[in-house]
Amino acid sequence: MAEVVVVGAGLIGLGIAFELAERGVEVTVLDRDEPARAASWAGAGMLAPFSEELPDDAMLTLCRRSLAMFPAYVDALRERSGVDVRFRRDGTLHVALDDARLAELAVDAETYRRNGGEVAMLGRDDVLAREPLLARNLSGAAFVANEAQVDNRRLGRALLASCAERGVRFERDADVALECDARRVRGLRTRHGFTPARTVVNAAGAWAGELAGVPPEARVPVRPVAGEMLAIALPRNAMRALVWLGHRYLVPRDDGRLLVGATVDERGFDARVTAAGLHDLLDAALAVAPALAGFAVVETWAGLRPGSPDGRPFLGTTALEGYVAAAGHFRNGILLTPITARLIADLIVDGRSDGLAPFAPGRAAAGALAAATNHVA
Ligand code: GLY
């Protein structure tokens, strides 16, 4: 019997599998698709807990803990896998194109500071000295120095190789159902047969709410939220910082590609790239950096974020013994990979649930969910 079966081979599932395998647990990972695809592949890899709109202090604390884990995490993965995931702490620029926006940013900067951001207000000349491709007529920016990025596609490769090196088994099957008796989980049924397991972890991202066979009281209400993106080819190092444009952003990669993301659309399991989506992204990007107009668009893609009703993920034990949730990370799955892996492994291996209470999956059944939109103050 596999001790643990993880459903979902995205970064969250791979991170949990790797952490469990490091602690000596026998793990199987099951996915409908290739590992490290879907949102894990589609994301931009921003590690930006101060710039992101987080619903509350519990989520901010979780995100900050995970950000602090990254330097050691990427070193450990490089040692295991040989893959450099290009962790870069170049900070985030929130650019104001006019004085009214700059005044708003000065207020936002206080919030970022209170939340732990290392923030400086920069004038036009300072901003343009750092990032010459930005609009010459901008008014200034708020710069959050302690935010970072990783190349999430490389992070996927690193985790996959690290899991393989630790003996994690992988299975691919689109047709998966949880099997349980009146008391607890028994394992998973696939087209290929039955895989018994002591613990099943649902890390199925946007599909986490769809897993068949889960009793209603143990379900997690995760829904897909589409994000479209594109990449522009720039000369290497033509930009360094993340540039934040409300919900949209520019993310410069080491290879010269500039990622432009992302739309936020509730339209079910629809991961198409649309004309309206590209229009929206290019509009925002060219407003803040008109010099991008002459460069080539080299890639477009879309992914489905796993949304949760209150903006917090579902982490921990459910109403069904042996069935654990690790899903609903919405815009912060890449950032939250190390801390999610640690907390879920602490739970499964040592029975410890420290830090998990605000993320309890049971809050869904208990009706304790409120829609979250407020920036942490
Ligand atoms: N993490 C940014 C996004 O989901 O678009």
Side-chain angles (χ1 to χ4, degrees):
M1 176 190 299
E3 280 186 80
V4 178
V5 176
V6 178
V7 182
L11 294 178
I12 296 293
L14 293 173
I16 292 167
F18 176 55
E19 185 73 29
L20 288 170
E22 286 272 272
R23 300 190 197 189
V25 178
E26 192 194 313
V27 189
T28 298
V29 178
L30 212 148
D31 201 297
R32 58 171 62 222
D33 204 343
E34 279 174 55
R37 299 290 296 184
S40 300
W41 180 91
M46 283 182 303
L47 310 178
F50 313 111
S51 297
E52 278 286 355
E53 277 188 31
L54 301 177
D56 52 32
D57 284 331
M59 185 65 171
L60 175 66
T61 301
L62 192 74
C63 289
R64 287 186 61 181
R65 284 181 70 189
S66 207
L67 178 61
M69 290 172 72
F70 256 90
Y73 196 65
V74 302
D75 284 350
L77 289 177
R78 190 189 302 110
E79 200 164 299
R80 284 268 178 245
S81 67
V83 179
D84 177 354
V85 303
R86 306 281 160 87
F87 172 72
R88 284 172 42 174
R89 200 168 0 210
D90 292 315
T92 306
L93 272 172
H94 294 245
V95 177
L97 293 175
D98 56 46
D99 290 348
R101 178 67 190 135
L102 192 60
E104 285 171 8
L105 279 179
V107 175
D108 290 348
E110 283 311 312
T111 305
Y112 305 150
R113 241 177 237 128
R114 270 200 303 280
N115 290 342
E118 293 165 15
V119 190
M121 293 304 294
L122 304 179
R124 177 192 298 129
D125 293 348
D126 271 357
V127 177
L128 291 174
R130 285 164 191 258
E131 301 294 351
L133 289 185
L134 296 181
R136 310 304 299 171
N137 62 344
L138 59 80
S139 288
F143 179 59
V144 188
N146 53 340
E147 294 191 321
Q149 63 154 298
V150 285
D151 183 327
N152 42 297
R153 296 180 187 177
R154 283 176 168 266
L155 182 58
R157 291 208 292 280
L159 274 168
L160 195 53
S162 301
C163 283
E165 204 259 343
R166 297 304 294 167
V168 172
R169 288 182 59 243
F170 285 89
E171 284 180 25
R172 189 165 165 181
D173 201 317
D175 204 0
V176 178
L178 193 75
E179 289 225 344
C180 52
D181 57 30
R183 205 177 58 82
R184 73 169 342 279
V185 154
R186 294 182 53 244
L188 280 168
R189 170 98 29 212
T190 71
R191 271 179 308 196
H192 299 114
F194 178 64
T195 306
R198 184 171 57 86
T199 305
V200 172
V201 180
N202 183 343
W207 291 265
E210 309 290 305
L211 182 61
V214 180
E217 65 278 12
R219 297 191 85 83
V220 284
V222 174
R223 67 187 195 283
V225 184
E228 300 180 37
M229 295 190 56
L230 61 90
I232 294 173
L234 292 185
R236 248 177 229 209
N237 294 325
M239 273 181 117
R240 289 303 298 173
L242 309 174
V243 175
W244 201 269
L245 319 161
H247 289 288
R248 302 181 203 82
Y249 42 80
L250 310 179
V251 179
R253 290 288 200 237
D254 279 357
D255 61 8
R257 287 183 323 137
L258 179 71
L259 312 190
V260 182
T263 59
V264 181
D265 274 321
E266 305 249 1
R267 58 187 197 208
F269 289 94
D270 172 0
R272 288 173 306 137
V273 176
T274 64
L278 295 181
H279 182 270
D280 174 71
L281 296 174
L282 285 170
D283 224 30
L286 293 177
V288 76
L292 296 176
F295 293 95
V297 173
V298 289
E299 192 184 348
T300 63
W301 69 97
L304 300 172
R305 306 176 186 88
S308 88
D310 61 0
R312 291 188 220 154
F314 297 104
L315 305 175
T317 48
T318 66
L320 179 66
E321 195 182 327
Y323 177 54
V324 170
H329 295 74
F330 191 38
R331 293 173 62 97
N332 292 292
I334 297 160
L335 169 60
L336 290 172
T337 293
I339 191 73
T340 300
R342 177 184 287 175
L343 295 178
I344 297 295
D346 285 349
L347 178 72
I348 292 173
V349 177
D350 303 322
R352 283 175 43 204
S353 55
D354 329 1
L356 288 176
F359 308 99
R363 73 190 192 279
L369 290 173
T373 47
N374 293 338
H375 205 293
V376 178

